[in-house]
């Protein structure tokens, strides 16, 4: 045991003061210490001669030695990569510095910022709210009382210690919180992350991003809603895009509609993305239900308003022709580096 410890000590010294005149010192080091016929492997082989009570301690000592060697090897590899000689030369402060790689924005952030800036030009302000929400702000105030069947459309994550709390299923909770402040008129958009208990696939994830909009004032009509959304689509996707509204149902708006745009991939001819219809749904919208206004202490006889909501992932997938939503959260640099706009 003592002999082996002595060998370990000697090896440590050798590792620390290692130098080589070889072209690739890192490789020379690896062969000497870390290779299959290297010093550490042979020291490990001596373990079988160590008595059982000392084996654990010896194992720790050898492990330390291995870590030391691996660290030194990494340093040598880095020096090699930088083309630095192993022996330090005098530091030349006049040399240009190493350039730092400039990151790029995440495609979701790029599209969110774009959506926000379009609506800001129409006078919409940005509002934000909590991602962990209570039942009132996420459901009940939005005309979705307990046991309402439409709650099933949004499979919800509840907080297990306190089931009265949940991860918000949409950003509409921000709308409720803004309406409750009682300052009218309201003209806001609410970008943010939302959560639903969905099976993860190319088209769905358990978290995603939404932008919702809300405008409440005197005499707001469906014509205002359409005009606002026309402007948005033209700014976002260009003037040539066709738009259509289809009647729909949401508990918090009446009347409600879904808005489709002509398919960007096939130009309306029909393809896989648009399921051969020529149209792609991009958002839901409608006039705010009087019950929602009253729940938020707004007089529905005096005020009216419209609301809309869209998934940022969906808009991003259409804009950049991305086929799999999971790419957004896999942190694959090969994917992310394709998006410019560093500011
Ligand atoms: Zn198509």
């Amino acid at each position: 045991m003592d002999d082996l410890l002595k060998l370990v000590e000697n090896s440590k010294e050798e590792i620390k003061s290692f130098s080589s005149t070889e072209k690739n010192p890192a490789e020379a080091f690896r062969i000497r210490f870390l290779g299959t016929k290297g010093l550490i492997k042979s020291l490990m082989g001596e373990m079988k001669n160590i008595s059982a009570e000392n084996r654990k301690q010896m194992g720790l000592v050898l492990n330390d030695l291995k870590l030391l060697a691996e660290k030194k090897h990494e340093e040598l590899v880095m020096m090699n990569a930088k083309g630095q000689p192993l022996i330090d030369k005098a530091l030349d402060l006049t040399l240009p510095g190493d350039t730092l790689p400039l990151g790029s924005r995440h495609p979701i952030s790029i599209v969110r910022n774009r959506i926000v800036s379009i609506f800001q030009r129409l006078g919409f302000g940005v509002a934000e709210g909590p991602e962990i929400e209570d039942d009132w702000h996420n459901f009940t105030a939005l005309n979705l009382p307990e046991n309402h069947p439409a709650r099933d459309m949004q499979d919800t994550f509840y907080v297990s210690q306190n089931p009265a709390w949940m991860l918000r299923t949409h950003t509409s909770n921000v709308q409720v919180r803004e309406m409750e402040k009682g300052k009218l008129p309201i003209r806001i958009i609410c970008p943010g992350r939302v959560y639903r208990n969905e099976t993860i696939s190319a088209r769905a994830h358990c978290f995603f991003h939404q932008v919702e909009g809300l405008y409440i004032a005197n005499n707001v009509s469906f014509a205002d809603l359409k005009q606002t959304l026309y402007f948005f689509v033209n700014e976002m996707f260009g003037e040539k895009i066709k738009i259509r509204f289809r009647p729909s149902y949401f508990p918090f708006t009446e009347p409600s509609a879904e808005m489709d745009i002509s398919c960007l991939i096939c130009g309306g001819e029909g393809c896989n993305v648009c399921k051969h219809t020529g149209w792609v749904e991009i958002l839901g919208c409608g006039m705010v239900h009087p019950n929602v206004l009253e729940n938020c202490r707004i007089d529905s006889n005096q005020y009216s308003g419209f609301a809309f909501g869209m998934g940022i992932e969906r808009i991003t997938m259409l804009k950049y022709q991305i086929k799999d939503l999971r790419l957004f959260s896999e942190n694959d640099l090969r994917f992310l580096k394709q998006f410019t706009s560093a500011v």
Side-chain angles (χ1 to χ4, degrees):
M1 163 107 179
D2 286 346
D3 289 347
L4 195 52
L5 280 174
K6 194 147 196 219
L7 275 172
V8 169
E9 277 312 307
N10 291 343
S11 306
K12 272 190 187 169
E13 288 309 311
E14 197 188 332
I15 288 170
K16 283 180 191 159
S17 60
F18 178 85
S19 70
S20 167
T21 50
E22 297 269 341
K23 203 171 161 203
N24 185 345
E27 185 57 14
F29 180 89
R30 193 191 64 77
I31 293 167
R32 168 90 179 108
F33 293 98
L34 293 165
T36 45
K37 289 179 183 160
L39 192 61
I40 291 176
K41 202 87 179 179
S42 85
L43 289 174
M44 295 269 187
E46 294 296 319
M47 282 287 278
K48 60 180 184 293
N49 303 325
I50 299 291
S51 61
E53 72 257 33
N54 288 332
R55 200 165 286 161
K56 190 174 168 197
Q57 194 207 341
M58 201 60 223
L60 291 172
V61 169
L62 283 175
N63 204 37
D64 277 352
L65 181 70
K66 188 162 171 243
L67 289 176
L68 181 74
E70 283 170 350
K71 191 159 170 269
K72 178 79 177 183
H73 181 242
E74 254 175 52
E75 286 171 15
L76 291 168
V77 169
M78 292 231 314
M79 275 196 230
N80 220 29
K82 284 184 187 166
Q84 284 180 4
L86 189 58
I87 302 135
D88 274 353
K89 283 191 182 152
L91 183 62
D92 183 354
L93 292 172
T94 63
L95 287 171
D98 293 333
T99 48
L100 287 172
L102 192 59
S104 58
R105 278 204 189 278
H106 194 283
I108 295 287
S109 298
I110 295 174
V111 171
R112 185 198 56 212
N113 293 350
R114 179 114 180 82
I115 296 171
V116 166
S117 82
I118 292 170
F119 283 105
Q120 275 178 333
R121 278 154 54 203
L122 291 172
F124 283 78
V126 174
E128 288 181 320
E131 290 182 20
I132 302 173
E133 192 50 280
D134 56 34
D135 187 274
W136 171 258
H137 291 97
N138 195 76
F139 286 128
T140 309
L142 291 156
N143 208 23
L144 272 160
E146 216 175 320
N147 303 323
H148 193 292
R151 282 196 183 198
D152 295 342
M153 283 154 55
Q154 304 183 0
D155 207 347
T156 310
F157 289 115
Y158 288 92
V159 177
S160 61
Q161 287 95 333
N162 185 354
W165 293 87
M166 64 195 73
L167 298 181
R168 66 180 179 188
T169 55
H170 44 197
T171 50
S172 312
N173 66 326
V174 185
Q175 300 191 25
V176 175
R177 287 175 179 277
E178 285 297 313
M179 286 189 276
E180 283 177 341
K181 287 180 188 166
K183 276 192 210 148
L184 291 155
I186 296 171
R187 188 153 49 184
I188 51 159
I189 48 168
C190 328
R193 193 173 346 196
V194 302
Y195 305 84
R196 289 185 199 178
N197 186 16
E198 304 249 2
T199 309
I200 295 168
S201 71
R203 301 175 69 86
H205 211 293
C206 57
F207 71 88
F208 54 98
H209 300 78
Q210 283 190 332
V211 177
E212 291 193 0
L214 176 70
Y215 177 39
I216 296 176
N218 291 313
N219 300 321
V220 177
S221 72
F222 203 90
D224 298 314
L225 167 63
K226 284 179 86 173
Q227 211 49 51
T228 304
L229 294 178
Y230 280 142
F231 178 78
F232 163 69
V233 171
N234 285 341
E235 290 295 304
M236 192 75 199
F237 296 107
E239 305 254 316
K240 286 194 182 133
I241 295 290
K242 290 199 208 92
I243 298 163
R244 74 173 185 188
F245 286 84
R246 281 179 294 108
S248 184
Y249 168 77
F250 303 110
F252 24 81
T253 45
E254 181 60 38
S256 305
E258 277 167 291
M259 193 177 86
D260 300 339
I261 59 171
S262 52
C263 179
L264 297 159
I265 316 285
C266 63
E269 301 276 308
C271 70
N272 282 339
V273 173
C274 59
K275 294 183 193 138
H276 303 281
T277 61
W279 296 96
V280 203
E281 182 210 324
I282 62 162
L283 58 80
C285 57
M287 301 306 292
V288 180
H289 198 292
N291 288 355
V292 175
L293 295 175
E294 297 295 338
N295 283 342
C296 300
R297 299 186 296 275
I298 293 172
D299 183 351
S300 62
N301 293 316
Q302 193 187 343
Y303 290 100
S304 58
F306 65 71
F308 57 86
M310 66 190 106
I312 302 180
E313 275 81 352
R314 189 165 182 75
I315 305 282
T316 311
M317 288 168 86
L318 285 171
K319 193 155 177 66
Y320 293 114
Q321 305 190 1
I322 297 164
K323 291 216 168 74
D324 193 327
L325 184 133
R326 289 168 290 197
L327 285 165
F328 293 131
S329 49
E330 283 174 346
N331 285 337
D332 187 337
L333 286 181
R334 290 168 304 177
F335 170 69
L336 296 171
K337 275 181 177 169
Q338 296 175 63
F339 302 91
T340 48
S341 174
V343 285

